Amino acid sequence: MRKIKAAIVGCGVISDVYMQSFRDNFSIIDLAACSDLDEGRMNALARRYQIKPMSYDDILKDDSIEMIINLTSPKAHYSLSKQAILSGKHVYSEKMMAVTYEEGKELCALSSEHKVRFGAAPDTFLGGGIQTARYAVERGLVGRVLSGVLSLTRDYGVFGENLPHLFQKGGSVLYDMGGYYLTAVCSILGSVRRVSAFGARTEEIHRVKRVDSPLFGRDIPLEEDNIITAILEFENKALVTLHLNSGTIINESYHLELYGDKGILRMGDPNTFCGEVLLEKAQNAPVVLPFTHGFQKQSRGLGAAEMAWSILAGRPHRASVEMALHVLEIIHGIFTSADTGKTYGMETKFERPKPLPEGFIGEGFWAVKEESALL
């Protein structure tokens, strides 16, 4: 079987999750190499997965490597993905593809010009939870979707003392977590037409209080708002409220709900693949819908694997650059609206990716494995 030979750039925490997933879940990816500026971290990961540690320049020069999986910090995504595209490599990027809308547009144009594939996380919308929710909506179980609520609360004051990029532009809660919620709802409802938003910051400077942190005692500026409220008007006229607050308590709470004229759909955490889907009909208690799709367990890299299968099949891939750019523009529109006090009109649209075929659950000896849904 032909495989796509790939290399990972960026050997942080998420790289281990990706590599385990490629090893355990996806036969299409032939993981050949990894690269990181931290040579100790790179060499340790290479030994663990028996792949080759390489400089990024050497990876780009290696004609046998067809795909770059970019798992670096958000601010590095643009430059490294651009280098890969200009070297004729397909690219799959962790979220977001870039930290500015202009950079995202440039990457999209370059990938088209150089005739290479460009895909981007989050790919959790391909998991069993969101695919089941889309199945329910498309079969009319809630009727016409009229509105929705997307909400997340966290404490980045705690998380950021270990991961200081969460205080920086491109690492704030809208970029870091908003992409999961926006991608999930866009994969179900399609394109957004207009955005109106407000933003606030709980503090201008965060002093690190974690005594075991190498940053203890340092003052770190918040570069972006950490409280966001926004109204998204979709092309299909649905109105969806987005609420993100990373300045509250550490106990995470999330809501992802769609309200139709014939029912209400409540989804699980879009940062996972396995969120339960509850359907509530008039005068009835909510019921948990059975999963219609596989990939209910940890499946990071699903979007990259599906893109690899799509390359071989010559069809569009589902974690598409067009949808990723649209989500990035929504984020850009939210910040623009919050800064100007004006409603932002969207420029981009995208074709919703086809849902995965149902039924490939992958449980048991006789079951057709989940990866068959990607063929």
Side-chain angles (χ1 to χ4, degrees):
M1 183 185 86
R2 165 137 151 72
K3 298 183 178 184
I4 297 293
K5 197 169 185 178
I8 280 180
V9 55
C11 298
V13 174
I14 197 64
S15 64
D16 199 35
V17 178
Y18 267 80
M19 289 185 179
Q20 286 183 42
S21 188
F22 288 142
R23 181 189 62 194
D24 298 340
N25 302 323
F26 304 112
S27 62
I28 189 63
I29 297 289
D30 178 11
L31 196 57
C34 65
S35 182
D36 197 282
L37 293 175
D38 184 328
E39 291 188 4
R41 188 164 61 185
M42 174 181 68
N43 290 331
L45 204 68
R47 285 193 299 270
R48 191 177 311 145
Y49 290 96
Q50 298 183 329
I51 59 177
K52 190 175 180 180
M54 297 175 68
S55 72
Y56 193 49
D57 285 343
D58 287 342
I59 286 174
L60 296 181
K61 292 173 185 175
D62 189 332
D63 292 335
S64 71
I65 295 176
E66 300 173 74
M67 181 189 293
I68 302 299
I69 299 168
N70 187 351
L71 305 182
T72 57
S73 61
K75 283 188 174 180
H77 287 174
Y78 163 75
S79 61
L80 295 175
S81 292
K82 181 176 179 178
Q83 290 177 58
I85 291 168
L86 293 177
S87 299
K89 310 289 189 187
H90 305 298
V91 175
Y92 183 83
S93 174
E94 245 303 321
K95 49 116 178 115
M96 306 298 291
M97 67 166 73
V99 297
T100 72
Y101 177 43
E102 293 302 318
E103 289 177 347
K105 286 194 292 185
E106 183 184 350
L107 291 177
C108 292
L110 284 173
S111 65
S112 177
E113 177 186 343
H114 289 267
K115 296 180 172 56
V116 295
R117 298 294 187 100
F118 186 21
D123 57 6
T124 46
F125 78 96
L126 293 171
I130 300 302
Q131 289 289 298
T132 297
R134 178 171 174 177
Y135 178 94
V137 170
E138 291 186 344
R139 280 151 184 80
L141 296 185
V142 298
R144 182 167 65 93
V145 176
L146 306 172
S147 64
V149 171
L150 316 175
S151 178
L152 170 72
T153 66
R154 277 184 165 189
D155 182 358
Y156 276 20
V158 173
F159 296 162
E161 295 190 357
N162 281 331
L163 302 169
H165 75 271
L166 297 176
F167 296 123
Q168 300 171 359
K169 182 175 175 59
S172 63
V173 65
L174 184 53
Y175 281 98
D176 183 50
M177 290 301 297
Y180 292 105
Y181 290 77
L182 294 170
T183 300
V185 74
C186 284
S187 74
I188 296 171
L189 299 182
S191 300
V192 170
R193 179 171 172 262
R194 293 191 299 171
V195 175
S196 185
F198 292 90
R201 300 181 198 188
T202 53
E203 56 186 355
E204 294 297 324
I205 301 290
H206 180 83
R207 172 157 291 186
V208 177
K209 300 180 179 67
R210 186 186 293 267
V211 295
D212 59 346
S213 169
L215 303 174
F216 175 69
R218 281 184 53 183
D219 289 338
I220 304 177
L222 269 69
E223 296 182 7
E224 291 178 330
D225 293 339
N226 62 347
I227 302 175
I228 294 290
T229 60
I231 300 294
L232 313 177
E233 180 190 41
F234 282 77
E235 292 285 351
N236 67 2
K237 305 301 182 184
L239 298 178
V240 173
T241 301
L242 174 69
H243 163 256
L244 302 171
N245 184 339
S246 63
T248 183
I249 63 174
I250 195 170
N251 308 52
E252 180 175 324
S253 66
Y254 58 84
H255 299 278
L256 181 52
E257 302 177 353
L258 296 176
Y259 308 100
D261 58 5
K262 295 182 180 177
I264 296 173
L265 204 65
R266 296 185 175 93
M267 289 162 268
D269 183 355
N271 189 22
T272 69
F273 293 83
C274 60
E276 282 188 341
V277 181
L278 282 79
L279 174 66
E280 185 173 356
K281 303 289 281 187
Q283 304 299 313
N284 283 276
V287 295
V288 178
L289 296 180
F291 285 111
T292 56
H293 291 72
F295 301 111
Q296 299 161 23
K297 299 176 182 178
Q298 176 57 267
S299 301
R300 300 286 176 182
L302 169 55
E306 196 278 333
M307 188 170 87
W309 280 108
S310 297
I311 290 169
L312 298 186
R315 65 164 189 262
H317 56 280
R318 288 175 168 89
S320 71
V321 66
E322 294 83 6
M323 184 166 70
L325 181 63
H326 189 75
V327 170
L328 181 59
E329 191 193 0
I330 293 171
I331 292 172
H332 168 75
I334 288 171
F335 280 129
T336 300
S337 176
D339 288 342
T340 65
K342 298 178 180 179
T343 297
Y344 176 88
M346 295 285 291
E347 298 176 345
T348 61
K349 294 183 181 180
F350 72 99
E351 292 292 328
R352 283 189 309 150
K354 290 184 178 180
L356 289 174
E358 62 180 289
F360 293 92
I361 303 300
E363 295 291 342
F365 177 79
W366 297 108
V368 179
K369 301 304 181 186
E370 293 169 323
E371 191 176 12
S372 296
L374 309 183
L375 300 182

